[in-house]
Amino acid sequence: MIPAAFEYYAPKSVPEALTLLDRYGDAAKVLAGGQSLLPMLKLRLAQLGHIVDISRIAGLDYIKEERGTVRIGAGTTETTLERSELIKTKLPILVDTTAFIGDPLVRNRATVGGNLAHGDPANDHPAAMLALGAEVVIKGSKGERTVPITQFFSGLFRTAVKPNELLMEVRIPVPPPRSGGAYVKLERKVGDFATAGVAVQVTLAASGAFERVGIGLTSAGPTPIKAAEAEKFLAGKQPDDATLQEAARLAAKATSPVADRRGEVDYKREMARVLTVRALRAAVARAGGR
Amino acid sequence: MSMHTISVTINGTAHSAEIESRLLLVHFIREVVGLTGTHIGCDTTHCGACTVLLDGEPVKSCTVLAVQADGRQVTTVEGLEKDGKLDPIQEGFIQEHGLQCGFCTPGMMMTGYALLKRTKRPTEAEIRHAISGNLCRCTGYVNIVKAVQYAAAKQ
């Protein structure tokens, strides 16, 4: 399969890329790792006049910790993320997540920024970033802004990044002591989109009760979903089985999956419930709780 | 800019050509350069038959634009043999009967080769993880894993 013809640009700097995006607006699309965009172009699900390849811009690929925040450059590949000692130590939920993205060959090209900016509710990073309470940095020729991840996903394949802007960085608060997170996903085979996927990040109080809970859901509706009602329910409660079960019921209630070859609506909702229990248990265990 | 003059070093030899933006790396390798050892399987980023090394990392060349490889190093299956001597990964596939139809083999070998460059003595689990983006439809993976293990022991 061959994509329809397009004009291709490989800017060497962010200002150069933004100039191109200002010029072509809606007719242009940013190419990073290309592991979602190129298949779409090949299948002719998308046809674009102009492609701005940002993979030649130096300095978009980094993972660092600064003043209690982990900063991940949008151009960081999934492989880099998967092998990062900082991520393994501070944010193991992201090691779980990246291991489910595509396959090892895809992860050598695919980027963290691309996984978010694609705006696909079946992508895996959105749920994890919702659970973690991340922020993203978006840049345009007029300046830079920071957007909480809860306001980032605006619709199917739509995000807060405007056609003439670039997603630059993801910022994640370093979890305090007694924190843990996990991402679990049901997939038919390696590299498949989630039938259901659940990300949970928790912080426990000294008593063992939930102090902070973040729950994000994959393939659960037109956008990645934050299970706010379940999060609220858990706050201050001990992580006993009945409590986790009730939270999972509330999380499943928040989903509106679509039926497809991966399953019917009821099945997907039930899988979201089951996976929420598992993700909660794993996150609590990693936080050092029961 | 829909036409580009690119230069890609494939197996140590520089190849320059004027190409369209939309040309995929796998088509550049097979049709422009004429190295047909790299196979096109699913053409949808699933099967890994088209795996090549791009600056040393295994990637699916059906999901990379040729223009993105401009100025970079590509290694294909033809580049494994050195001075008439097979690479241990190639020997491994022969000795352990790591193929039947052979369609997935170039991709399997490139992924296996890259794994052994990074991890000298991978566990079986590490091998299976590494090739999880390469599909074999003949036999399953037992002999493919053995072939990589043979190469690990041999190198």
Side-chain angles (χ1 to χ4, degrees):
Chain A
M1 292 169 298
I2 300 184
F6 52 80
E7 306 285 316
Y8 169 91
Y9 314 87
K12 293 279 170 32
S13 71
V14 170
E16 207 186 315
L18 292 174
T19 303
L20 287 163
L21 293 176
D22 273 338
R23 188 180 306 154
Y24 298 116
D26 274 346
K29 184 90 180 162
V30 173
L31 173 71
Q35 303 299 287
S36 296
L37 183 58
L38 291 179
M40 285 179 83
L41 291 172
K42 288 171 67 180
L43 293 164
R44 306 253 175 150
L45 295 173
Q47 290 194 29
L48 298 159
H50 305 269
I51 288 205
V52 179
D53 179 359
I54 59 168
S55 66
R56 304 252 179 193
I57 301 175
L60 295 180
D61 177 358
Y62 57 85
I63 303 170
K64 54 192 172 190
E65 183 182 355
E66 273 177 20
R67 293 185 298 278
T69 302
V70 174
R71 298 171 55 185
I72 304 172
T76 304
T77 67
E78 298 297 344
T79 299
T80 303
L81 191 75
E82 197 173 9
R83 293 181 188 158
S84 159
E85 286 306 319
L86 178 63
I87 297 298
K88 282 181 201 165
T89 321
K90 299 282 169 74
L91 297 167
I93 183 176
L94 293 185
V95 179
D96 294 355
T97 309
T98 190
F100 277 121
I101 294 171
D103 58 54
L105 309 173
V106 167
R107 294 199 285 275
N108 281 336
R109 301 282 301 161
T111 65
V112 178
N115 197 277
L116 294 170
H118 191 45
D120 187 342
N123 276 359
D124 299 293
H125 275 312
M129 297 304 174
L130 283 168
L132 285 164
E135 286 181 337
V136 296
V137 179
I138 298 170
K139 194 171 182 145
S141 53
K142 299 214 163 48
E144 201 173 270
R145 60 202 173 96
T146 305
V147 175
I149 197 74
T150 47
Q151 292 166 28
F152 184 73
F153 303 104
S154 48
L156 189 63
F157 296 111
R158 292 172 63 88
T159 71
V161 183
K162 297 194 188 102
N164 63 346
E165 290 181 319
L166 283 177
L167 174 58
M168 298 296 293
E169 183 179 276
V170 184
R171 292 180 182 166
I172 303 165
V174 175
R178 290 193 303 271
S179 295
Y183 181 64
V184 294
K185 171 177 172 177
L186 178 65
E187 58 181 6
R188 299 173 303 174
K189 61 181 184 64
V190 166
D192 193 19
F193 290 115
T195 303
V198 180
V200 170
Q201 178 73 29
V202 304
T203 301
L204 303 177
S207 64
F210 288 111
E211 193 171 281
R212 181 202 170 275
V213 187
I215 304 176
L217 308 172
T218 304
S219 291
T223 62
I225 286 175
K226 182 174 159 70
E229 208 182 327
E231 292 173 358
K232 215 163 119 189
F233 169 79
L234 287 170
K237 293 199 173 65
Q238 288 288 332
D240 56 65
D241 199 52
T243 303
L244 303 192
Q245 294 289 349
E246 175 58 13
R249 194 189 64 81
L250 292 170
K253 219 177 85 184
T255 66
S256 52
V258 286
D260 59 16
R261 71 186 102 165
R262 291 177 189 84
E264 299 299 320
V265 169
D266 288 349
Y267 170 70
K268 288 185 172 186
R269 195 170 275 149
E270 174 63 4
M271 289 306 102
R273 188 190 68 76
V274 171
L275 295 188
T276 302
V277 176
R278 291 182 191 172
L280 279 166
R281 281 187 190 137
V284 168
R286 281 185 179 166
R290 292 187 298 140
Chain B
M1 293 207 293
S2 56
M3 295 298 289
H4 306 263
T5 301
I6 63 166
S7 176
V8 185
T9 301
I10 303 182
N11 306 328
T13 305
H15 296 272
S16 294
E18 194 185 15
I19 55 138
E20 273 192 273
S21 308
R22 60 177 170 166
L23 185 73
L24 301 169
L25 179 58
V26 70
H27 292 134
F28 179 77
I29 292 168
R30 287 177 56 89
E31 289 156 27
V32 179
V33 179
L35 294 171
T36 53
T38 302
H39 292 166
I40 300 173
C42 69
D43 205 10
T44 52
T45 332
H46 290 100
C47 80
C50 65
T51 304
V52 301
L53 308 189
L54 183 60
D55 288 343
E57 291 285 355
V59 301
K60 293 180 171 178
S61 63
C62 76
T63 313
V64 178
L65 298 172
V67 65
Q68 292 185 291
D70 185 23
R72 301 177 72 178
Q73 303 277 336
V74 170
T75 309
T76 69
V77 68
E78 289 93 343
L80 291 179
E81 183 188 321
K82 295 267 156 54
D83 305 320
K85 199 174 171 328
L86 294 181
D87 186 86
I89 193 81
Q90 294 172 301
E91 272 185 55
F93 274 77
I94 295 169
Q95 294 303 327
E96 297 296 341
H97 201 87
L99 60 139
Q100 261 186 35
C101 84
F103 200 86
C104 72
T105 312
M108 286 288 180
M109 291 202 295
M110 298 318 291
T111 302
Y113 177 85
L115 169 67
L116 296 179
K117 281 273 172 267
R118 200 177 64 248
T119 312
K120 292 292 166 211
R121 288 297 164 95
T123 62
E124 182 181 337
E126 285 171 327
I127 295 169
R128 287 183 179 274
H129 175 262
I131 62 169
S132 58
N134 295 85
L135 304 182
C136 165
R137 298 292 81 170
C138 289
T139 61
Y141 300 89
V142 172
N143 287 358
I144 292 171
V145 171
K146 280 188 195 162
V148 179
Q149 286 169 328
Y150 177 98
K154 188 76 189 283
Q155 63 181 358

